[in-house]
Amino acid sequence: MTFHLNAFLMGVGHHEAAWRHPRTTATDVLDVAHFQNLGRIAERGKLDSIFFADGLAAGPRIERNTLTIFEPITLLSAIAAVTDRVGLIATASTSYNEPFNLARKFASLDHISGGRAGWNIVTSANAEEAFNFGLDARPEHAKRYERAGEFVDVALALWDSWEDDAIVLDEEAGRFADPTKVHAIDHEGERFRVRGPLNSPRSVQGRPLLVQAGSSEAGKEFAAQHAEAVFTAQRTVEEGVAFYRDLKSRLAKYGRAEHDLKVLPGLVPFIAETQEAARALEQEFTDLISPDYALRQLSTLLGVDLTEHALDAPLPPLPSESQIEGGKSRFTLVKELAENEQLTVRELIGKLGGGRGHRTFAGTPEQVADELQTWFEAGAADGFNIMPPYLPGGLEDFVDQVVPILQERGLFRTDYESSTLRGHYGLGHAENRHTAHPVAVGA
Amino acid sequence: MTFHLNAFLMGVGHHEAAWRHPRTTATDVLDVAHFQNLGRIAERGKLDSIFFADGLAAGPRIERNTLTIFEPITLLSAIAAVTDRVGLIATASTSYNEPFNLARKFASLDHISGGRAGWNIVTSANAEEAFNFGLDARPEHAKRYERAGEFVDVALALWDSWEDDAIVLDEEAGRFADPTKVHAIDHEGERFRVRGPLNSPRSVQGRPLLVQAGSSEAGKEFAAQHAEAVFTAQRTVEEGVAFYRDLKSRLAKYGRAEHDLKVLPGLVPFIAETQEAARALEQEFTDLISPDYALRQLSTLLGVDLTEHALDAPLPPLPSESQIEGGKSRFTLVKELAENEQLTVRELIGKLGGGRGHRTFAGTPEQVADELQTWFEAGAADGFNIMPPYLPGGLEDFVDQVVPILQERGLFRTDYESSTLRGHYGLGHAENRHTAHPVAVGA
């Protein structure tokens, strides 16, 4: 058994102060060549995929960091042009797009990349985003997921609207495509009315790999129904195993098997020759965190104004998850972290600086490999979402120092065995509803 | 004085039967390498730009041709990765996008390409498109232009929301950007409410080059107010001069100078060593047109069902332009062509096959150069929208055989003198409203 590796890439690194550290070049955040280089490094390591998150508002990041300068699909197309195998996953919102446009864009990326497109489906939890799309507040959590469900239904129907062999290219007869193999979708739903077909023939993978990252009840149910890979933040092996079992146990009722969905917990690795050096490196980054920026970011995350709060005091009492309309699972993760470890605000900020709630691990390449193996063998993961704290160095160290150890241990591929993203994740060809063989109810 | 050249690229050529001709490879319509190659050829010819049109419905093209497989911004990003100088213009709709998302995408393409992005602003005249976005019919012509006007206002405000020097990158002070140079836009209009700022700093050009192609009254007024380049279909020098004068005369009331807007009539060139050979080549393509497909396309264009109409009879009486809700100027152009030249339906289809209303010209490289020079010197054009009937050969012949003649005559640049699309078209830096010097009212 081998596992999967995704590189979650963000600016010059996940650590919020990464751009200030001597190991990065701050201007790289604006340089497409930097991102193309990251794609090449990931491919050198035979990683399954790279991933760019997104948000549709500048938000409070303006002063201290700007994480989402490039729209991810546009960026990944430029990276597709300089890579051959690595998968290309982009976040896109179901709340602030039209399904026809988004289905088209992912079909385009899949055509352009030769079958390497993936969609991280988000419902856009941030109120700042709502203000850019004519709303006075973010839509409620439940409403967002309702829209996401119908949105995905429409997108899936559009991606199936051209059968795999609809393009005929019969030059003699002057027959470009076979219209009997191209289908209107005639979707008439609560939120969308879309006639179709898509204005793009079936792409290499049929449709992008579907990825999801919300861990609320609604998020987990959505993932169980639709997702093929799940990014998740888990802080201990025990929590990881519980989440893994929980999610996998929900698949059967949608007619899906356990191997149809890959669970990928996040890890922010600080890598150095000795554990001491790795910890010192992490501390260098922690020391660069700006407390006033971190307080503002924490306030947004928790829905409580902490900007005047004393840094060395514990957190004030927090609301319960049910009162939160934003990212519910992230809220609960941070709340539990602060309460269980009895952290002061300053300590909490330090813990969050690297991965905004994801697990940070400082160690030697061997120790990082051990960690991943432990989680994998404990049944907490099908693979990992590697979040380098600084870039490109943090990705290079992982690829050049950790990946070879994983390969030696037989835990990770030594070369690509597939040309598509779905193939890397061990998923079969996406069946088209118009030509699929009958399957069990609910599949 | 020199002129400008845009290559308008479509699949394996503008001629609807191009994919059936031995000079093309039909599978190229699905191959990003083909489109990247076209970008490189255009750059070899020092062309100002390449352009991809778009439509948001498969429409009646399924059986005979598929012209818009790739979403243009995504495609141009992959072309940006393999070119350095040529401008990259994409059609995008104001009727079926959100201004925040589209402004972001063009900002991304401008960052990624180093200042080469251009936006051909369309209002989506086709009813088939409306059905993919929850509507029962296309919005009225006037309503579409009202929305387009507000859409462009919002996009321009978003592109100005970051001042040119808002990014500070002061690593010592931990100051990524200067928040006093990043502005909310607080747009509250009839159709859009957008708070801003954009989630992307000011791009190389400040904003994309704005292009427009509608020639109805509303279209011309919109162009005079916003466009920096206009693609237009004109069949004679006299009509070209009249259109050119008409459009330029509208600029003053918006505080703009004549050189602020470049007029680019379309030309579909069939190029060969002799005029006879060029005409024979054109005839080869005409002979490949499928009449039943052409009748359906003509029906859509004219809003009259011609699918049962006799091919060798003249057109039936047509409605007036005011009764048309689709592309008004294209309707009138085709109507006048058919009536003035007393064409049968078959003859009209032949004339339209190459360029859907644009002027087709068959001749030697010298003759094509003469034609362009005549139009330019008569005051009908600031440059040309070259629409190769087949690809890549039709573009290669133009670049390798016609461009050198234009260069010898001093009509076209022998090398790029700028690194940006705005620069190629002789337009100055796009001023930011927050830092611009006071200018005349209306500017």
Side-chain angles (χ1 to χ4, degrees):
Chain A
M1 277 288 286
T2 59
F3 58 61
H4 302 281
L5 290 172
N6 173 73
F8 179 3
L9 305 173
M10 200 175 255
V12 292
H14 273 276
H15 196 282
E16 62 125 300
W19 65 277
R20 298 178 65 190
H21 194 278
R23 292 201 184 196
T24 63
T25 304
T27 51
D28 276 353
V29 297
L30 284 158
D31 187 355
V32 68
H34 163 70
F35 296 99
Q36 291 175 319
N37 182 41
L38 298 179
R40 286 197 202 92
I41 295 167
E43 192 159 276
R44 181 168 91 213
K46 316 299 179 195
L47 267 51
D48 294 66
S49 48
I50 59 174
F51 161 54
F52 291 95
D54 198 28
L56 300 174
R61 286 190 281 265
I62 289 169
E63 191 169 353
R64 297 302 179 184
N65 207 340
T66 296
L67 302 173
T68 56
I69 287 174
F70 301 116
E71 188 280 315
I73 297 176
T74 312
L75 177 60
L76 287 169
S77 188
I79 296 176
V82 301
T83 55
D84 293 314
R85 289 300 187 94
V86 70
L88 308 165
I89 303 173
T91 284
S93 169
T94 54
S95 295
Y96 305 121
N97 279 293
E98 286 281 341
F100 192 90
N101 287 335
L102 199 64
R104 173 89 177 304
K105 281 168 51 143
F106 277 110
S108 297
L109 182 62
D110 205 50
H111 280 295
I112 286 170
S113 64
R116 297 187 280 144
W119 173 22
N120 179 43
I121 306 165
V122 303
T123 67
S124 301
N126 191 326
E128 304 275 330
E129 298 176 288
F131 304 148
N132 290 329
F133 295 89
L135 303 180
D136 293 316
R138 86 189 108 206
E140 285 168 43
H141 191 268
K143 297 277 179 204
R144 292 204 310 274
Y145 270 97
E146 280 169 31
R147 180 179 162 113
E150 189 179 336
F151 193 113
V152 171
D153 287 344
V154 175
L156 288 170
L158 287 168
W159 288 319
D160 279 354
S161 63
W162 290 67
E163 295 180 23
D164 286 37
D165 58 353
I167 296 282
V168 179
L169 298 179
D170 181 343
E171 299 182 22
E172 200 57 46
R175 201 172 168 78
F176 188 90
D178 179 350
T180 68
K181 295 184 174 178
V182 184
H183 308 276
I185 70 165
D186 292 322
H187 178 90
E188 302 261 348
E190 191 88 2
R191 288 174 177 75
F192 301 113
R193 289 169 56 224
V194 179
R195 192 167 77 170
L198 193 61
N199 55 346
S200 185
R202 186 95 166 153
S203 68
V204 181
Q205 292 188 114
R207 56 178 171 76
L209 181 83
L210 300 184
V211 183
Q212 200 268 355
S215 301
S216 66
E217 266 305 300
K220 282 188 280 198
E221 216 47 42
F222 186 89
Q225 190 174 359
H226 297 295
E228 295 160 318
V230 166
F231 299 144
T232 181
Q234 303 296 331
R235 299 193 66 90
T236 66
V237 177
E238 295 68 34
E239 287 166 13
V241 171
F243 177 82
Y244 186 98
R245 291 307 333 146
D246 178 7
L247 202 51
K248 298 267 178 168
S249 73
R250 295 170 191 247
L251 291 164
K253 69 170 168 285
Y254 299 106
R256 303 181 70 202
E258 293 214 353
H259 60 77
D260 290 340
L261 181 155
K262 311 298 179 188
V263 177
L264 308 172
L267 184 78
V268 182
F270 285 92
I271 304 166
E273 272 183 40
T274 65
Q275 188 172 45
E276 251 182 4
R279 286 189 176 154
L281 181 63
E282 181 182 359
Q283 190 59 46
E284 283 178 27
F285 280 83
T286 303
D287 292 344
L288 289 172
I289 294 175
S290 148
D292 66 326
Y293 169 75
L295 280 177
R296 257 198 297 156
Q297 201 181 41
L298 196 59
S299 302
T300 302
L301 198 152
L302 295 177
V304 173
D305 184 2
L306 298 171
T307 51
E308 303 296 321
H309 198 78
L311 279 168
D312 294 307
L315 278 176
L318 296 177
S320 68
E321 183 181 300
S322 63
Q323 296 168 272
I324 293 293
E325 287 297 335
K328 283 178 186 282
S329 56
R330 188 58 50 88
F331 166 83
T332 297
L333 186 147
V334 172
K335 182 182 177 182
E336 288 178 2
L337 170 66
E339 291 175 356
N340 295 349
E341 304 192 15
Q342 305 203 327
L343 302 174
T344 66
V345 172
R346 189 190 300 275
E347 288 165 338
L348 180 61
I349 288 169
K351 288 253 179 197
L352 294 176
R356 299 178 311 288
H358 283 272
R359 194 165 52 106
T360 297
F361 183 87
T364 64
E366 287 281 343
Q367 287 173 321
V368 174
D370 290 348
E371 248 323 84
L372 300 183
Q373 183 165 2
T374 300
W375 279 59
F376 178 59
E377 292 179 349
D382 297 308
F384 300 92
N385 187 24
I386 303 300
M387 303 167 59
Y390 59 96
L391 290 166
L395 180 63
E396 283 176 316
D397 288 352
F398 185 84
V399 159
D400 296 334
Q401 297 174 33
V402 180
V403 166
I405 298 170
L406 299 173
Q407 290 170 329
E408 267 169 44
R409 297 184 187 175
L411 290 167
F412 192 62
R413 69 175 70 86
T414 53
D415 202 356
Y416 288 110
E417 287 152 21
S418 161
S419 64
T420 68
L421 174 56
R422 292 182 64 81
H424 300 337
Y425 279 100
L427 300 162
H429 183 70
E431 283 211 315
N432 189 313
R433 68 189 65 191
H434 298 291
T435 50
H437 299 104
V439 285
V441 172
Chain B
M1 278 287 286
T2 59
F3 59 61
H4 302 280
L5 290 171
N6 173 73
F8 179 3
L9 306 173
M10 198 174 257
V12 292
H14 274 276
H15 196 283
E16 62 125 301
W19 66 276
R20 300 179 62 191
H21 195 278
R23 293 203 184 195
T24 63
T25 304
T27 50
D28 276 353
V29 298
L30 283 159
D31 187 354
V32 68
H34 163 70
F35 295 99
Q36 291 175 318
N37 182 41
L38 298 179
R40 287 198 201 90
I41 295 167
E43 190 158 277
R44 181 168 92 213
K46 316 298 178 196
L47 267 51
D48 295 65
S49 48
I50 60 174
F51 161 55
F52 290 95
D54 198 28
L56 299 174
R61 287 191 282 263
I62 290 169
E63 191 169 355
R64 296 303 178 182
N65 208 339
T66 296
L67 302 173
T68 55
I69 287 174
F70 301 116
E71 189 279 316
I73 297 176
T74 311
L75 177 59
L76 286 169
S77 189
I79 297 176
V82 300
T83 55
D84 293 314
R85 291 299 187 93
V86 70
L88 308 166
I89 302 173
T91 284
S93 169
T94 54
S95 294
Y96 305 120
N97 279 293
E98 287 282 340
F100 192 90
N101 287 336
L102 199 63
R104 173 89 177 305
K105 283 168 51 150
F106 276 110
S108 297
L109 182 62
D110 206 49
H111 279 294
I112 286 169
S113 65
R116 297 188 281 144
W119 174 23
N120 179 42
I121 306 163
V122 303
T123 66
S124 301
N126 191 327
E128 304 276 330
E129 298 175 289
F131 304 147
N132 291 329
F133 295 89
L135 304 179
D136 292 316
R138 85 189 108 207
E140 285 169 42
H141 191 269
K143 297 277 178 204
R144 292 205 309 274
Y145 270 97
E146 282 169 29
R147 179 177 163 112
E150 189 178 336
F151 193 112
V152 171
D153 287 344
V154 174
L156 288 169
L158 287 168
W159 288 318
D160 279 354
S161 63
W162 290 66
E163 296 181 22
D164 285 38
D165 57 354
I167 296 283
V168 179
L169 297 180
D170 181 344
E171 298 182 23
E172 200 56 47
R175 203 172 166 76
F176 188 89
D178 179 350
T180 68
K181 295 184 173 178
V182 184
H183 308 276
I185 72 165
D186 292 322
H187 177 90
E188 302 262 349
E190 190 87 5
R191 287 175 179 75
F192 302 112
R193 289 169 55 223
V194 180
R195 191 167 79 170
L198 194 61
N199 55 347
S200 185
R202 187 94 165 153
S203 68
V204 182
Q205 291 188 114
R207 56 178 171 77
L209 181 83
L210 300 183
V211 183
Q212 200 268 355
S215 300
S216 66
E217 266 304 302
K220 282 188 281 198
E221 214 50 39
F222 186 88
Q225 190 175 357
H226 296 294
E228 295 161 318
V230 166
F231 299 142
T232 180
Q234 303 295 330
R235 300 192 65 89
T236 66
V237 177
E238 295 69 35
E239 287 167 13
V241 171
F243 177 82
Y244 185 99
R245 292 304 336 143
D246 177 7
L247 201 51
K248 297 268 178 167
S249 72
R250 296 171 191 246
L251 291 163
K253 70 169 167 286
Y254 299 106
R256 304 180 69 201
E258 292 212 353
H259 59 76
D260 290 340
L261 182 156
K262 312 298 179 189
V263 177
L264 308 173
L267 185 79
V268 182
F270 285 92
I271 304 166
E273 270 184 39
T274 65
Q275 189 171 44
E276 250 181 6
R279 287 188 177 155
L281 181 63
E282 182 182 358
Q283 190 59 48
E284 284 178 25
F285 280 84
T286 302
D287 292 344
L288 289 173
I289 295 175
S290 147
D292 65 325
Y293 169 75
L295 279 176
R296 256 201 295 158
Q297 201 180 42
L298 196 59
S299 301
T300 303
L301 198 152
L302 295 176
V304 173
D305 184 3
L306 298 170
T307 51
E308 303 295 319
H309 199 79
L311 279 167
D312 293 308
L315 279 177
L318 296 176
S320 68
E321 183 180 298
S322 62
Q323 297 169 271
I324 294 293
E325 287 296 336
K328 283 177 184 282
S329 56
R330 189 55 52 88
F331 167 83
T332 297
L333 185 148
V334 172
K335 181 182 178 182
E336 287 178 3
L337 170 66
E339 290 175 358
N340 295 350
E341 304 191 15
Q342 304 203 329
L343 302 173
T344 65
V345 171
R346 189 192 299 276
E347 289 166 338
L348 180 61
I349 287 169
K351 289 252 179 197
L352 294 176
R356 298 177 313 284
H358 284 271
R359 194 164 52 105
T360 297
F361 183 88
T364 65
E366 286 281 344
Q367 287 173 322
V368 174
D370 291 347
E371 251 317 89
L372 300 183
Q373 183 165 2
T374 300
W375 279 59
F376 179 58
E377 291 179 349
D382 297 308
F384 300 92
N385 187 24
I386 304 300
M387 302 166 61
Y390 58 97
L391 290 166
L395 180 63
E396 284 176 315
D397 288 352
F398 185 85
V399 158
D400 296 333
Q401 297 174 32
V402 180
V403 166
I405 298 170
L406 299 173
Q407 290 171 328
E408 267 169 43
R409 295 182 187 176
L411 288 167
F412 192 63
R413 69 175 69 87
T414 54
D415 202 355
Y416 288 110
E417 288 153 20
S418 161
S419 64
T420 68
L421 175 55
R422 293 182 64 81
H424 301 336
Y425 279 100
L427 299 162
H429 182 71
E431 283 210 317
N432 189 313
R433 69 190 63 191
H434 298 290
T435 48
H437 299 104
V439 285
V441 174

